[in-house]
Amino acid sequence: MARPSRQTLALPSATSLRRLYGNSKPPPPPASAFRRAASVLLLAAAVALPCAVLYRAVVSNAPPPVQVVWDRWPSREWGPPRAPVVVPEAEEDRDLDHISADDLDSEYLKLEQVLQAASMDNKTIILTTLNAAWSSPGSVIDLFIDSFRHGVRTSSLLKHLVIIAFDRKAYRRCTEIHTYCYALVTGNVDFSQEKRFLTAGYLEMMWKRLDFLRLVLEKGYSFIFSDADIMWFRNPFPYFYPDGDLQVACDHYVGNATDLRNIANGGFNYVKSNNQSIEFYKFWYSSRLRYPGYHDQDVLNFIKHDPYIMDIGLTIKFLSTTYFGGICEPSKDLNEVCTMHANCCIGLQSKLHDLRIIMEDWRDYMSMPPSLKTSGAFSWRVPQNCSLSLLNQ
C-alpha cells in the first residue's frame, strides 16, 4: 500500500475550517494527528532529559561563586595555607554582601574552619566586629590592634582574635592587617556606614551581632567578645571568675560581682559555651521583641532580673571597673587596668579623639620607671570629647 503523502497528513487550518463549516463547531482532528503530536512530544522529551541531567551535573561540580569564599585562612605558621581568591576584574565592584540562602551551609563551614584555626587549646577565642566606618587606616581597628601590641602579655592573644566583618570594605581592610577574618552574611542590609547610637541601623547591627555570638556558642566555642573601641592593656584571663557562665563588663560597678544593680555593658564579655549560656543567648535575642527600640545592652539590663535566668541555671558575674573600665567609669589605677572602653561616647570622631589620648597615656605610663608606676600618681586625661553628661543631653 502506498505511503500517504505529507500533504495528506497536513491538518486543516482554523480559517479553512471556518470557511467549510461556517459558525458551526468543526469536527475533532483525526486520531492520526494525535498520534503524530504524541510522537513529537516523546522525541522532544528524549532529547531534553539527557541535556538537563548533563547541565545539572556540570553545575553541581562547578566551583562555588567567588563571593562565598570570604574567610581568610591563617598563615603557614598557624595553619594550612590557602591560595588567594582572585576576583574577576568585571566583578570587582559587585556587592558581595548579598549571598543566597543556598550558600549558608557553606558559610557556616568556613566559620568553623576560622574558629578552629584561631582557637586556644580549650576552644576559647577572642571576637570583635568591624564595619567600614571603623576600618579606615588610623581609625578604631588600628588602635584596637595596636593596644594588644603595647599591652602587658597581650600581643600573643592576637593569634586567637577573629575579626567579624559586616561588609566588603571592612573585610578587605581586615585581610590587610590581621590573620583571621570572617565576613558575616548580612542579607540586604548595608552595615558599612557609621551607625549612630540607637538609630534603626545601629539596632539591627547590634542584634545581628548578638545572634552571631549565639551561633559561636552552639559550635562549642567559648569567647571573649570585645568591641573594637576597647583598648587591651593586660591579659584579662587571670581576672575572670572560675564559676561564671556569663561575665560582663559594667558602665557602673557597685562593688559586688553578683549584684544585679551593676549596670552591664555588652561591649565586653567572657562567655563559656554550655547549655546555660546557649539558652540565655536565645532568650536574650528573642527578648528584643518584648523591648522594641532598645539595643542589646539595655535589654540585658532588663532581663538580668527575669526568673528565667535562675530557671536555666545561668551564673552571671559582673566585672569590676577597677580592671575593666571605660569613659563611663574609668579604671583609676594603671597598675591594674586590663581594658579601657570608649563607652558613654557618641560619634566616631569623639571616640577616636579620646581613644588616641588613652593610648598616649598608656605609652607614657609604660615608659615610666617602676618607682613612679607603683606610686599610682599617673591618671588618665580622658574623658575629653566623650562623657556621660554628653550622652544624657
Side-chain angles (χ1 to χ4, degrees), residues 75-359:
S75 64
R76 186 176 297 275
E77 179 183 357
W78 295 335
R82 188 194 70 173
V85 176
V86 179
V87 179
E89 184 175 355
E91 299 181 0
E92 187 69 20
D93 296 325
R94 283 180 54 186
D95 183 3
L96 299 188
D97 292 342
H98 310 312
I99 299 180
S100 68
D102 293 340
D103 294 322
L104 288 180
D105 288 342
S106 176
E107 286 302 305
Y108 292 151
L109 174 61
K110 293 179 178 67
L111 174 62
E112 173 64 35
Q113 294 168 339
V114 173
L115 297 178
Q116 184 176 8
S119 175
M120 303 174 191
D121 291 340
N122 62 353
K123 293 196 72 175
T124 300
I125 53 176
I126 301 169
L127 295 170
T128 193
T129 50
L130 181 66
N131 71 344
W134 285 23
S135 67
S136 301
S139 190
V140 175
I141 192 61
D142 285 352
L143 291 170
F144 178 70
I145 291 178
D146 194 44
S147 71
F148 280 81
R149 293 171 178 156
H150 290 87
V152 178
R153 296 188 300 277
T154 52
S155 60
S156 62
L157 296 177
L158 282 172
K159 64 184 179 181
H160 303 298
L161 170 67
V162 177
I163 299 177
I164 309 301
F166 277 125
D167 57 80
R168 179 187 180 94
K169 182 178 178 181
Y171 174 74
R172 284 187 168 180
R173 174 72 172 130
C174 177
T175 60
E176 294 171 359
I177 62 175
H178 190 59
T179 303
Y180 300 113
C181 304
Y182 181 79
L184 181 59
V185 177
T186 57
N188 296 318
V189 183
D190 179 14
F191 289 136
S192 62
Q193 302 301 313
E194 180 186 358
K195 302 302 179 186
R196 298 287 292 181
F197 186 65
L198 292 184
T199 61
Y202 173 88
L203 294 175
E204 188 161 5
M205 187 162 64
M206 293 301 99
W207 286 115
K208 183 170 185 63
R209 180 183 77 180
L210 185 77
D211 196 39
F212 175 80
L213 295 177
R214 184 266 314 161
L215 175 64
V216 173
L217 292 173
E218 288 183 344
K219 286 181 171 291
Y221 291 91
S222 303
F223 61 76
I224 299 176
F225 175 80
S226 172
D227 280 341
D229 61 345
I230 295 178
M231 302 295 98
W232 285 51
F233 295 133
R234 283 186 175 86
N235 186 333
F237 283 98
Y239 299 87
F240 292 142
Y241 297 94
D243 58 342
D245 301 313
L246 168 65
Q247 304 186 40
V248 58
C250 298
D251 285 343
H252 174 60
Y253 184 71
V254 301
N256 187 320
T258 59
D259 195 324
L260 294 179
R261 292 177 299 167
N262 290 306
I263 308 302
N265 185 297
F268 186 92
N269 47 72
Y270 171 47
V271 190
K272 296 177 182 178
S273 175
N274 54 37
N275 292 335
Q276 294 92 328
S277 64
I278 292 171
E279 187 61 32
F280 173 73
Y281 266 73
K282 291 178 181 178
F283 175 60
W284 188 0
Y285 182 72
S286 66
S287 296
R288 76 195 189 283
L289 303 176
R290 295 166 55 192
Y291 303 100
Y294 289 94
H295 65 106
D296 58 322
Q297 181 173 302
D298 282 336
V299 173
L300 172 60
N301 282 299
F302 297 150
I303 66 175
K304 66 186 179 185
H305 302 279
D306 197 294
Y308 186 66
I309 305 301
M310 185 176 294
D311 292 342
I312 63 177
L314 181 80
T315 301
I316 303 178
K317 291 293 180 70
F318 297 93
L319 300 172
S320 171
T321 52
T322 298
Y323 310 107
F324 304 93
I327 301 297
C328 299
E329 196 168 284
S331 304
K332 296 179 180 179
D333 191 346
L334 274 73
N335 295 302
E336 295 184 313
V337 63
C338 291
T339 61
M340 273 287 285
H341 189 182
N343 52 8
C344 292
C345 190
I346 296 178
L348 176 58
Q349 294 309 312
S350 294
K351 281 184 181 289
L352 283 173
H353 179 272
D354 279 20
L355 283 172
R356 287 165 181 156
I357 292 174
I358 289 173
M359 285 300 299

